[in-house]
Amino acid sequence: MNLGVGAYRDDNAKPVVLDCVREAESRIAGKSVMEYLPTNGNAGFIKHSILLAYGDDSVAVADGSIAAIQTLSGTGACRLMADFMHRFAPTAKVYIPVPTWSNHHQIWQDAGCEERLFRYYKAETRGLDFDGMLEDMENAEEGSFFLLHACAHNPTGVDPSVEQWRQMSQVMKRKQLFPFFDMAYQGFASGDCERDAAAIRIFVEDGHKVGCSQSFAKNMGLYGQRIGCFSIMCASPEEAQRVESQMKLIARPMYSNPPLHGAAIVSAILGDPVLKKQWFGEVKTMADRIIDMRAQLRLALEKSGSVLKWNHVTEQIGMFCFSGMTGEQVDALRVDHHIYMTRNGRISMAGVTSSTVGRLASAMHEVTK
Ligand code: IK2
């Protein structure tokens, strides 16, 4: 049972190509030329992407004060942010949550940024360390950058509530901390792409100038197409033009220009209200299957005779369950049960199916007795 990589599988444990993606591909087949895109990418894609993140009614999108560039998926967007930060705020620190997607550390370190950590997860409650996080924000130097997972936090599956986001926004505003949202799972948390963008929109409402990384790997299943978007909200359209020009100067010597196909697919879907609606439905289907697997796993664990508490399995959200199992317990799952996951106890719930959930629960009970 492969529960390692964060990639969606259907209830037969098979990778999925969404119907809306197939339809978009059939519409663009043979129509696009194979010329280079400009350094900043496909303009239509960028517009649709930032509307999805900031909202159809976003004033900043409408008046052109968001600088944005097509990227090599979410990783590429984070890397451009890190390079941008290193170039224009060389002494600023980047605060990274503990724990986080491990590549975050490498991305910011490789770009030469000075990293600090902030408390995020509380092992005792398997939930958010809200007080610890606010305290670390209070104690951060003014002008620091904070990397925030917009929704469906990887690896913990623990997200702040709307009220907690509001409080974080207030503290960060007062302390003049720059919020950078990594949104790799829009739609995967609640099943609703609009709801999953709530954090970004709260911060924007409060007057923050936010940065954002978007990925279409998970929510459109476009993993290998490497399609994403990096944006920074600016004070004016003129500033946005200048910032965008600097983004291009960072991208140009790195990869010249981004690939065509993924951007064409996303534009075809988001640019057609019928296909977009279909996509919203398909994201919800994926999110709902994961939510259902969480419920089944918790129930099976509780029925297995385990005396441990498993409420976090259903309380956490998104693709991952941060199970609380130790490295040794994960090793035992691998060796004795042929169940594979990352050694921090993270289960990719997207890999669990209705025919394997029972076996997973009894193996987890076995190794945690
Ligand atoms: N940001 C976060 C928080 C991510 O989780 C990811 C994807 N990680 O998925 C693999 C895994 O953890 O098993 C990314 C960014 C980057 O994703 P991509 O570059 O594919 O868009």
Side-chain angles (χ1 to χ4, degrees):
M1 213 184 292
N2 181 356
L3 309 178
V5 67
Y8 183 76
R9 300 289 178 256
D10 66 12
D11 205 38
N12 297 310
K14 295 279 183 268
V16 172
V17 179
L18 301 183
D19 290 339
C20 61
V21 168
R22 287 284 186 232
E23 173 58 25
E25 279 197 304
S26 74
R27 290 187 193 178
I28 59 183
K31 294 213 179 90
S32 58
V33 287
M34 300 296 168
E35 296 297 298
Y36 290 130
L37 281 171
T39 301
N40 56 329
N42 175 325
F45 159 77
I46 295 168
K47 185 75 189 279
H48 292 306
S49 188
I50 57 178
L51 280 171
L52 189 70
Y54 295 87
D56 287 334
D57 56 354
S58 161
V59 177
V61 175
D63 78 4
S65 40
I66 294 186
I69 180 169
Q70 179 185 330
T71 58
L72 304 186
S73 214
T75 308
C78 288
R79 181 57 197 247
L80 286 187
M81 176 70 226
D83 280 326
F84 190 90
M85 180 190 152
H86 184 247
R87 188 169 291 191
F88 295 105
T91 57
K93 319 284 182 289
V94 60
Y95 279 76
I96 293 187
V98 181
T100 193
W101 178 49
S102 61
N103 206 15
H104 280 149
H105 299 289
Q106 282 135 271
I107 289 170
W108 265 271
Q109 281 164 13
D110 254 35
C113 298
E114 205 177 317
E115 183 186 295
R116 295 279 186 277
L117 303 174
F118 71 94
R119 283 170 282 177
Y120 186 83
Y121 175 76
K122 205 175 202 166
E124 305 88 78
T125 60
R126 307 226 163 104
L128 190 67
D129 185 356
F130 188 58
D131 293 340
M133 176 165 61
L134 284 193
E135 202 177 308
D136 290 343
M137 287 175 168
E138 288 286 358
N139 292 331
E141 244 173 71
E142 260 184 29
S144 297
F145 287 57
F146 268 72
L147 169 64
L148 303 167
H149 294 228
C151 62
H153 184 274
N154 179 9
T156 66
V158 173
D159 283 353
S161 67
V162 165
E163 189 40 47
Q164 287 169 328
W165 279 119
R166 287 194 197 286
Q167 286 187 53
M168 287 156 68
S169 168
Q170 293 303 326
V171 174
M172 289 184 65
K173 190 86 202 299
R174 179 164 44 75
K175 290 283 308 182
Q176 296 191 34
L177 304 171
F178 180 83
F180 179 65
F181 287 97
D182 181 2
M183 185 151 62
Y185 299 93
Q186 187 176 3
F188 252 92
S190 67
D192 176 345
C193 292
E194 297 296 333
R195 201 165 140 197
D196 284 0
I200 293 183
R201 300 188 191 165
I202 287 168
F203 274 62
V204 169
E205 223 175 85
D206 287 349
H208 285 276
K209 298 283 177 275
V210 305
C212 179
S213 154
Q214 288 173 267
S215 166
F216 292 92
K218 322 279 173 164
N219 58 10
M220 275 196 196
L222 295 175
Y223 303 90
Q225 292 293 348
R226 312 310 292 144
I227 178 69
C229 183
F230 165 43
S231 58
I232 295 184
M233 198 171 193
C234 300
S236 65
E238 295 71 34
E239 187 180 274
Q241 273 181 18
R242 293 197 294 275
V243 169
E244 207 167 286
S245 140
Q246 295 302 323
M247 289 172 167
K248 287 192 271 186
L249 286 170
I250 294 172
R252 169 77 179 144
M254 217 191 271
Y255 53 83
S256 281
N257 46 71
L260 281 170
H261 196 61
I265 295 172
V266 177
S267 306
I269 294 172
L270 296 183
D272 174 347
V274 177
L275 268 193
K276 186 173 172 186
K277 189 161 173 236
Q278 182 182 348
W279 173 57
F280 272 34
E282 290 188 79
V283 177
K284 184 159 168 32
T285 302
M286 292 192 283
D288 283 352
R289 198 187 83 71
I290 295 172
I291 290 166
D292 186 34
M293 283 307 114
R294 287 182 181 280
Q296 289 195 34
L297 179 60
R298 178 175 170 183
L299 191 67
L301 279 162
E302 285 168 354
K303 279 191 178 161
S304 70
S306 175
V307 292
L308 302 174
K309 283 181 77 179
W310 295 105
N311 51 310
H312 57 286
V313 174
T314 51
E315 281 160 15
Q316 295 169 353
I317 197 165
M319 215 175 223
F320 303 111
C321 167
F322 211 44
S323 67
M325 286 186 289
T326 63
E328 290 69 33
Q329 291 167 341
V330 171
D331 291 344
L333 281 179
R334 189 183 67 246
V335 174
D336 301 337
H337 302 276
H338 304 283
I339 296 173
Y340 298 80
M341 63 186 63
T342 52
R343 218 168 166 269
N344 58 4
R346 186 192 80 169
I347 302 171
S348 177
M349 289 306 299
V352 183
T353 70
S354 40
S355 56
T356 59
V357 67
R359 187 161 83 78
L360 174 63
S362 52
M364 283 171 70
H365 173 44
E366 204 56 45
V367 302
T368 55
K369 263 183 195 167

